[in-house]
């Protein structure tokens, strides 16, 4: 599946920022979390959100968990591969991470799962509504695990311990 | 662990969110939001000072409204106030608001920075992390200016908490990426590298991202990280699945850290230290071994984590490309994945194998999976998997399997997704041309391509088939017969009509003997398509008709009648009308002789012979090939000659090309698949970059059919023959033949591509300095010969010569020098150079003298390169793009992908590009990391406009260089020259 002529082509190619953005969307396309690791203006963000929704929701279990983005290059008639979206669906929610095309697909796919397991533990059987009502806490969870577009901490125990500590500070 | 209940702590927020969720329509939602905004505004403006809790609640509501997609134009100040609260929850909401609604309002930034500063020095790890996360999320220049000095200190301080270190490392990374000039690592380098040894795995995980980024920009300064990374990796890989406790994920020890370590190692060549290398190879073998072990869990998480490491290890193995054993093992492992039930694994295996195919060590191993890959192309449900399969087939194609692969790709094309058809068509065309052993196969393939996917066949593809047919007498009959048959289809693609019109116009006579394809039948067939075609095709057909009049006088009356009809001679299109009128007149006025001369068969497109074919001809004698040509050209008696011609062609090519590397196009095999040596996973790796040289030698240039087809000529060409005669050369004083050029002379030449002055050569006796200046197509060079000894040189003489073709390309005049050079003295020689047309080789400078009785005989290349005749051209972005697009024929482009051999410093790059002689254009390329340049090469014969684009990839330490000019030889030469400079 390729997105061409899309606003995803606005993404510059270098210097490499591993994660461009993390999106959590439901099947209807409502955004439950949008974490941007690059500068986009509001219109671009909106377009990206819509396009990601359009490409991931049409895919099923026989498809890969990776969607490559072909960047149209002004100077290069042959568009070339630059970005990919690695996503996984949990019930009605799509967790999507946009990374560089050279990045390790499976590492990010499991990065998503690791994140979901932390959310699940933190919110005790997380559901979509938890993310809606506690959106400001979800950002904290993200920042503990991903920072500056990179993986910051992978140990669920350590992250949960830290979140618990922060929770006690309320 | 306490469950987090709905919006606990902020009831008002939860109510508001519920209200919004209950809104039945967009209008109702907007109404509710406006009400809330008015409420918050009045609270903020009110006389009563708000307590921290209320402020937090309202700011959080504003944030929620913003995230719903509504503009927020107030509340920033209140958010900034929250930063200085000493309650965590209030501070957190303040920072979150700032991070999400980044505002470069300078006054606020000052306040924000102040609050951050306070938190950073608070020694409270929670607050420090909040502040660091805010910097990492915003990453503005102002923040870099304020904190780039402080953060490294926090990162390496002994008393910093682990969690703060993690945040500080990534915060610094963000600032470095945004403002590299402000982050000075110098004194911290070694302590940062040693974070790889930190006992907290989270610190290592965070720090390694920073180190990888810094290493890719300054590999030398950070190279001590290699041995540290290897030992860290080794410890993880050899640990049992439970050793690492918190960092074990589904029985896999530290998968993400392992991947990051393997990726860091990809910034470097294989370790030089034998022990380190041995340890690393051991790690890689262990990882490969583990892939064969039975899984410790059935969960997909387990196998994904394990395979994430495996694929990263394979990337490293491919990156090194030096361990045949590991490469083949990697290939076998991927081969197993090709049939795995997980689509993800099949996809990744296809992708990874694509890069393995270009390694000489694993190419053959990859080829053994051809049937599986073909099957994937046919049966995979996910188009992106099929795409990878097509990519892999393309990458594994060579002479031995080309026919099978091209056939499979063609049949896939019939059902291929529209999104990838164009690319598939180009791939098929490239492979067909590159690996054709007989031309009839090539012609069949391209015609099939047009039949199956005519809309996706670009001009260069059908130009190319015509060029080849024109140049190869042995395929002309076959081509004529094949297009004739193809045109019988009731609906055929316009591109087919074009090829048909052209080929029948030239070679229709070769099949005219058969009554089923008599001249009139041919004409009627073509003309039946005429009305369905666009203007350019009709114009082409009109030209074919006039050619018919010459080929077949019996069709003259019919064709003249067609030309005379109102729809032609009064056609509203000027071009068509003009052709009709002129062709009609030409056919009625001109005598048969004149007609035959004017409408003579197209001459072959000039092309360069491959060295192997030339050798073959020499062996067989010059007559061998041309006799067959004569046969093919005899007209009239060729009843059914198409078949014969075709058979003869096959026979001839089979006979004359026993070598597997015989080259259909007479081009050098300039496109070795492995030539691009892409580093694993590099951004620059794209399919067509590999095929670049092949693509750029295919197709035609501006002049359409009349274009010349020059093979890119390597600069190492026949200097062994020695310098040729040169009128301008002074009589040689010494009788000995000039020495062959020094082995290093190419290197010396490369030194001067981007500069005009310097020392060209130096040994113990002699130093040669150069000063040169160029204006338009003229140059003047001053050579300074310095005698480094205290003894005089006698019989000192110098000769400048232009070997081979160069004689007609450059006009070089020298003045003789005095035959005596005293010890310690320097003599000067002036050389005037005129560039007549573009050239590749450099003139040779031969110096002879006697020193203490011994004859010294030195030959060098004079650093006169085509780029010296550049005139810089400034142009705006729009002009550049327009010009770039105009130069879109594949052969006008030359492209190289290569490893950086020097640093990738911006200023140095700029200086070199300016030194090349072109204008460096700012603000043209949408990506500021890239460079684009423009210039015109001035020769006496013509001016050649030249555009250049250089795309550095700092991470992979590679460049992609693309040259476009109106002349293929120029593109190629400038590209070759420049590629040596970085």
């Amino acid at each position: 599946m390729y997105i061409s002529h899309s606003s995803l082509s606005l993404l510059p190619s270098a210097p490499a920022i591993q994660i461009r953005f993390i999106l959590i969307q439901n099947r209807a396309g409502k955004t439950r979390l949008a974490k941007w690791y690059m500068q986009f203006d509001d219109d671009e963000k909106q377009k990206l959100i819509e396009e990601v929704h359009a490409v991931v929701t049409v895919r099923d279990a026989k498809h890969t968990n990776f969607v490559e983005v072909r960047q149209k290059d002004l100077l290069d008639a042959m568009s070339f591969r630059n970005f990919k979206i690695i996503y996984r669906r949990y019930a009605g929610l799509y967790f999507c991470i946009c990374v560089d095309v050279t990045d390790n697909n499976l590492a990010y796919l499991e990065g998503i799962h690791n994140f979901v397991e932390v959310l699940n533990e933190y919110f005790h059987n997380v559901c979509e509504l938890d993310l809606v009502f506690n959106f400001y806490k979800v950002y904290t969870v993200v920042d503990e695990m991903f920072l500056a577009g990179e993986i910051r901490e992978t140990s669920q125990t350590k992250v949960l311990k830290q979140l618990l500590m922060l929770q006690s500070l309320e | 662990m306490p469950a987090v209940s709905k919006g606990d702590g902020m009831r008002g927020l939860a109510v508001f969110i519920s209200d919004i969720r209950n809104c039945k329509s967009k209008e109702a939602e907007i109404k509710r939001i406006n009400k809330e905004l008015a409420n918050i505004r009045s609270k903020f403006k009110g006389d009563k000072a708000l307590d921290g809790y209320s402020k937090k609640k309202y700011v959080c509501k504003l944030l929620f409204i913003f995230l719903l997609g509504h503009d927020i134009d107030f509340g920033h100040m209140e958010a900034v106030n929250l930063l200085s609260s000493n309650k965590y929850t209030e501070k957190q909401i303040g920072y979150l608001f700032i991070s999400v609604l980044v505002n470069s309002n300078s006054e606020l930034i000052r306040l924000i920075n102040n609050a951050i500063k306070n938190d950073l020095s608070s020694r409270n790890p929670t607050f420090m992390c909040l502040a660091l996360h805010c910097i990492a999320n915003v990453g503005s220049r102002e923040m870099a200016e304020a904190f780039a000095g402080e953060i490294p200190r926090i990162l390496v301080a002994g008393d910093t908490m682990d969690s703060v270190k993690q945040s500080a490392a990534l915060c610094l990374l963000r600032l470095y990426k945004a403002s590299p000039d402000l982050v000075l690592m110098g004194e911290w380098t070694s302590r940062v590298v040693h974070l790889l040894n930190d006992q907290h795995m989270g610190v290592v995980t965070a720090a390694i991202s920073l180190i990888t980024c810094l290493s890719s920009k300054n590999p030398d300064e950070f190279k001590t990280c290699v041995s540290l990374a290897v030992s860290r990796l080794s410890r993880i890989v050899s640990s049992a699945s439970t050793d690492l406790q918190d960092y074990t994920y589904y029985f896999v020890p530290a998968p993400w850290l392992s991947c990051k370590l393997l990726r860091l190692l990809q910034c470097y060549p294989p370790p030089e230290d034998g022990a380190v290398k041995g340890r690393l190879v051991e790690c890689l073998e262990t990882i490969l071994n583990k892939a064969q072990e039975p899984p410790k869990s059935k969960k997909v998480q387990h196998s994904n984590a394990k395979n994430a490491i495996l694929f990263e290890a394979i990337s490293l193995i491919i990156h090194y490309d030096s361990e045949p054993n590991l490469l083949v093992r990697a290939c076998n492992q991927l081969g197993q994945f090709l049939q795995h039930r997980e689509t993800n694994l099949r996809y990744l295996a296809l992708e990874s194998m694509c890069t393995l195919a270009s390694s000489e060590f694993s190419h053959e191993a990859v080829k053994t999976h051809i049937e599986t890959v073909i099957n994937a192309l046919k049966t995979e449900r996910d188009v992106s998997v099929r795409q990878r399969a097509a990519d892999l087939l393309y990458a594994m194609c060579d002479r031995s399997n080309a026919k099978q692969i091209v056939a499979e790709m063609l049949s896939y094309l019939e059902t291929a997704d529209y999104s990838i058809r164009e690319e598939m068509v180009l791939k098929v065309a490239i492979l067909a041309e590159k690996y054709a052993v007989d031309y009839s196969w090539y012609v069949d393939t391209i015609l099939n391509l047009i039949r199956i996917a005519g809309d996706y066949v670009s001009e260069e593809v059908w130009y190319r088939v015509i060029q080849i047919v024109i140049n190869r007498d042995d395929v002309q009959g076959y081509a004529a017969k094949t297009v004739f048959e193809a045109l019988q289809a009731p609906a055929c693609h316009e591109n087919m009509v074009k090829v048909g019109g052209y080929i029948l116009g030239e070679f229709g006579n070769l099949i005219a003997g058969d009554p089923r394809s008599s001249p009139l039948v041919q004409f009627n067939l073509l003309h039946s398509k005429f009305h369905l075609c666009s203007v350019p095709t009709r114009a082409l057909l009109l030209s074919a008709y006039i050619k018919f009049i010459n080929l077949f006088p019996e069709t003259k009356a019919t064709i003249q009648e067609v030309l005379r009809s109102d729809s032609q001679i009064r056609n509203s299109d000027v071009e068509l009308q003009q052709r009709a009128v002129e062709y009609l007149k030409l056919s009625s006025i001109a005598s048969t002789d004149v007609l035959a001369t004017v409408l003579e068969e197209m001459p072959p497109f000039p092309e360069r012979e491959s060295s192997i074919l030339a050798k073959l001809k020499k062996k067989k004698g010059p007559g061998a090939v041309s006799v067959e040509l004569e046969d093919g050209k005899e007209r009239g008696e060729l009843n059914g000659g198409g078949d014969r011609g075709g058979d003869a062609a096959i026979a001839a090519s089979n006979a004359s090309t026993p070598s597997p590397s015989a080259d259909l196009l007479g081009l050098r095999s300039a496109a070795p698949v492995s030539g691009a040596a892409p580093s694993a996973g590099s951004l620059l790796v794209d399919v067509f970059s590999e095929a670049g040289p092949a693509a750029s030698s295919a197709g035609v240039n501006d002049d359409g059919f009349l274009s010349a087809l020059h093979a890119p000529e390597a600069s190492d060409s026949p200097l062994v023959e020695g310098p040729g005669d040169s009128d301008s050369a002074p009589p040689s004083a010494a009788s000995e033949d000039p020495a062959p050029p020094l082995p290093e002379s190419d290197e010396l030449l490369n030194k001067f591509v981007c500069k005009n002055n310097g020392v060209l050569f130096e040994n113990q006796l002699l130093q040669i300095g150069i000063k040169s200046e160029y204006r338009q197509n003229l140059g003047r060079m001053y050579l300074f010969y310095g005698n480094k000894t205290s003894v005089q040189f006698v019989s000192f003489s110098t000769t400048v010569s232009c070997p081979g073709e160069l004689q007609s390309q450059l006009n070089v005049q020298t003045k003789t020098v005095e035959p005596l050079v005293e010890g310690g003295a320097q003599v000067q020689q002036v050389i005037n150079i005129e560039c007549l047309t573009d050239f590749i080789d450099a003139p040779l400078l031969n110096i002879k003298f006697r020193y203490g009785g011994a004859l010294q005989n030195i030959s060098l290349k004079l650093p006169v390169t085509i780029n010296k005749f550049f005139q810089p051209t400034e142009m705006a972005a729009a002009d550049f793009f327009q010009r770039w697009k105009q130069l879109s024929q594949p052969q006008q482009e030359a492209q190289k992908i290569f490893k950086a051999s020097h640093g990738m410093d911006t200023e140095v790059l700029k200086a070199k590009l300016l030194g090349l002689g072109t204008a460096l254009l700012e603000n043209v390329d949408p990506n500021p990391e890239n460079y684009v340049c423009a210039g015109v090469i001035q020769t006496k014969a013509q001016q050649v406009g030249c555009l250049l684009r250089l795309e550095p990839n700092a991470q992979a330490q590679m460049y992609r260089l693309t040259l476009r000019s109106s002349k293929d030889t120029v593109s190629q030469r400038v590209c070759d020259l420049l590629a040596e400079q970085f």
Side-chain angles (χ1 to χ4, degrees), chain B residues 449-553:
Chain B
L449 211 50
I450 294 173
R451 193 156 46 217
I452 293 166
D455 281 344
Y456 299 89
V457 172
S458 51
E459 302 232 297
E460 52 264 33
V461 173
W462 72 263
Y463 283 180
R464 190 69 191 136
V465 69
I466 285 173
Q467 279 194 340
I468 287 174
V469 169
I470 299 239
N471 284 18
R472 305 282 157 183
D473 304 60
D474 43 9
V475 77
Q476 289 160 355
Y478 181 78
K481 178 171 164 279
T482 318
V483 289
F484 179 78
E485 280 162 8
L487 287 173
Q488 305 287 336
C492 56
H493 195 272
E494 189 160 336
N495 280 339
M496 188 70 85
V497 179
K498 287 178 185 163
V499 176
Y502 202 101
I503 288 186
L504 292 181
E506 293 293 327
F507 308 114
N509 56 301
L510 299 181
I511 56 168
D514 188 326
R516 285 166 300 177
S517 53
S518 71
L520 220 51
V521 174
Q522 285 186 42
F523 170 74
N524 286 334
L525 180 62
L526 279 181
H527 198 53
S528 69
K529 314 284 181 194
F530 188 91
H531 306 278
L532 303 166
C533 291
S534 64
V535 169
T537 308
R538 290 186 191 192
L540 187 153
L541 285 177
L542 289 178
S543 298
Y545 297 170
I546 186 74
K547 289 229 160 192
F548 265 52
I549 293 184
N550 175 47
L551 282 184
F552 316 113

Side-chain angles (χ1 to χ4, degrees), chain B residues 205-227:
Chain B
T205 305
I208 196 170
S209 297
L210 174 66
I211 295 167
T212 305
C213 175
L214 292 170
S215 298
S216 67
K217 306 252 174 182
N218 327 282
D220 284 345
E221 286 167 48
F222 284 83
K223 64 171 177 249
T224 49
C225 72
V226 172
S227 60

Side-chain angles (χ1 to χ4, degrees), chain A residues 2 13 16 59-60 62 64-65 68 70 75 81 102 104 107 110 117 124 137 140 150 152-153, chain B residues 8 163 166 177 247 249-250 256 263 304 308 312 344 347 351 381-382 387-388 423 681 884 927:
Chain A
Y2 302 99
S13 56
R59 298 169 67 84
D60 63 28
K62 292 265 185 216
T64 62
N65 291 85
E68 232 171 60
R70 296 235 151 180
L75 296 180
R81 306 158 51 198
T102 60
N104 189 313
E110 286 318 303
E117 288 192 347
H124 272 228
K137 291 183 178 162
T140 304
E150 299 280 349
R152 175 181 178 276
E153 178 59 83
Chain B
D8 64 346
S163 63
Q166 288 174 277
K177 278 174 175 169
Y247 288 89
Y249 178 83
Y250 288 88
W256 292 281
R263 184 147 287 229
N304 278 349
E312 205 61 63
N344 285 344
Y347 172 90
E351 182 179 64
R381 272 195 52 200
D382 184 338
Q387 169 79 47
R388 288 290 146 268
E423 199 183 311
W884 182 272
N927 181 345

Side-chain angles (χ1 to χ4, degrees), chain B residues 148-201:
Chain B
E150 176 66 15
I151 294 168
R153 228 180 308 252
I154 296 175
L155 176 61
V156 298
D159 56 350
T160 304
M161 297 273 293
D162 291 331
S163 63
V164 178
K165 272 192 196 169
Q166 288 174 277
S167 300
L170 293 173
C171 185
L172 192 58
L173 171 61
R174 172 67 198 255
L175 294 186
Y176 181 76
K177 278 174 175 169
S179 318
D181 52 317
L182 295 177
V183 179
L184 304 170
M185 288 311 297
E187 47 179 319
W188 311 112
T189 304
S190 121
R191 293 167 80 180
V192 168
V193 170
H194 276 86
L195 290 170
L196 287 174
N197 264 340
D198 200 288
Q199 49 180 334
H200 189 285
M201 301 269 279

